Amino acid sequence: MLVKVLTGVFDPPPASPAVPGACLGPTALAALIAVPAAALNGIRRARRPAIEELRDL
């Protein structure tokens, strides 16, 4: 759909969207590392009693 919208903007129109693989690889790797890290941190924080969390503030 984006290619159809941008057809009038570009001359000649693109045949397909160009996605640089050099950007997608590191982005996917960062997501694969960040999601489990955030989940583990949430699990670890949930195990502590809430009163201890409040005292640490």
Side-chain angles (χ1 to χ4, degrees):
M1 182 173 170
L2 182 62
V3 173
K4 287 183 182 182
V5 170
L6 293 177
T7 298
V9 176
F10 296 108
D11 189 29
S16 65
V19 180
C23 267
L24 288 179
T27 303
L29 181 64
L32 288 175
I33 292 171
V35 169
L40 289 174
N41 190 28
I43 291 168
R44 186 178 50 139
R45 295 285 182 171
R47 288 186 179 159
R48 283 183 72 186
I51 194 72
E52 286 184 25
E53 288 290 331
L54 289 172
R55 284 185 186 145
D56 287 344
L57 293 177

